[in-house]
Amino acid sequence: MITVGVTGGIGSGKSTVCEVWADLGAYILNADDLAKQVMVTNPEVKQQLIDHFGSESFLDDGQLNTKHLAKEAFEKGRVKELNAIVHPKLPAAASQEIEEAEAQGYDIFVYEAALLLENLEHGSMDYIVLVLADEDHRIERVKQRDNSSEAEIKQRIKKQRNFEKVTDRVDYVIRNNGTLEELEKKAEIIYQSLLPERDT
Ligand code: ATP
């Protein structure tokens, strides 16, 4: 099985690429979903969340109180503190999912994460794909997707790294400044080149 990391800034088109690949048969793991899973299943993480962000971090039924944590993290500027609790646990949790995907017979495992280059141990993915789009496209697309304001999106972009500067650290760059169909086509072509060779 081939492991592929997909990264890029907000609204660059990562999830769209992953949707295309899911349709083509890849196993997709989203880092945000994995982080949420770790927050409710890892006892050490759970305790730390309660210690740092209060018992309101969890609802009565044990579910994550995402509203409370989002407020603490984003409105009170405590994202780094939250990440410091959760992110160290992600590589091991991702490895477990990789094993599961392998056992289920998938050819390609895809890990989608904006912080991929920071949080994965170097070399833990066979290939890294970077999705890039110009800022004006990203703002327009996220505005439409999330109904958020331009100022809010610009703030979020500012907090991320400049992905144009890491093109030399990745195996594939997808430039997503055209139509959705063009992006889908590019994603399909890369998928075919990632697929392991099969004897016929
Ligand atoms: P985030 O980091 O915020 O999760 P992302 O990198 O996963 O963003 P997507 O969700 O794939 O980005 O794309 C952002 C939005 O832009 C989506 O609504 C998607 O359908 C749309 N989109 C992506 N590429 C294009 C395109 N080429 N033309 C038009 N819309 C696009």
Side-chain angles (χ1 to χ4, degrees):
M1 188 177 73
I2 305 283
T3 56
V4 184
V6 176
T7 194
I10 172 174
S12 58
K14 299 179 294 296
S15 299
T16 309
V17 168
C18 289
E19 278 165 29
V20 173
W21 290 353
D23 286 346
L24 294 170
Y27 184 106
I28 310 291
L29 176 62
N30 177 290
D32 294 335
D33 294 340
L34 184 66
K36 283 186 194 140
Q37 192 188 309
V38 162
M39 288 191 240
V40 288
T41 56
N42 185 306
E44 198 187 318
V45 170
K46 261 179 111 166
Q47 192 54 53
Q48 284 193 54
L49 289 175
I50 292 168
D51 293 346
H52 285 249
F53 299 103
S55 54
E56 321 84 288
S57 301
F58 295 91
L59 301 169
D60 290 343
D61 61 2
Q63 300 244 47
L64 199 65
N65 187 348
T66 45
K67 220 170 165 183
H68 170 72
L69 284 171
K71 198 169 161 198
E72 291 290 316
F74 299 110
E75 287 178 25
K76 298 190 184 168
R78 300 176 74 187
V79 177
K80 276 196 178 151
E81 193 179 339
L82 179 64
N83 287 350
I85 296 171
V86 182
H87 285 175
K89 309 292 183 204
L90 293 182
S95 296
Q96 208 176 327
E97 291 254 356
I98 290 172
E99 277 173 30
E100 279 167 29
E102 178 119 55
Q104 288 172 37
Y106 280 87
D107 285 326
I108 297 196
F109 171 92
V110 180
Y111 186 61
E112 178 197 347
L115 294 175
L116 183 78
L117 299 170
E118 293 78 352
N119 287 340
L120 277 187
E121 288 146 19
H122 185 68
S124 60
M125 291 278 133
D126 295 321
Y127 298 100
I128 296 191
V129 176
L130 172 65
V131 188
L132 292 175
D134 293 345
E135 194 169 308
D136 49 345
H137 286 305
R138 294 163 63 199
I139 292 169
E140 210 39 57
R141 290 168 186 166
V142 174
K143 235 190 207 166
Q144 292 216 2
R145 185 191 62 186
D146 300 347
N147 221 351
S148 38
S149 73
E150 183 159 338
E152 238 176 283
I153 302 164
K154 279 189 170 163
Q155 265 309 91
R156 286 167 69 188
I157 289 177
K158 236 165 96 184
K159 286 194 180 135
Q160 293 187 321
R161 67 155 77 237
N162 180 352
F163 283 91
E164 290 285 348
K165 292 201 170 145
V166 293
T167 52
D168 57 338
R169 290 177 60 190
V170 306
D171 302 288
Y172 294 89
V173 175
I174 300 180
R175 292 217 173 251
N176 179 22
N177 293 317
T179 64
L180 212 43
E181 290 71 28
E182 281 167 336
L183 176 64
E184 286 164 359
K185 193 79 218 147
K186 286 181 183 179
E188 275 175 34
I189 291 168
I190 291 183
Y191 190 82
Q192 296 308 331
S193 79
L194 289 169
L195 270 180
E197 301 245 336
R198 290 231 182 269
D199 290 339
T200 48

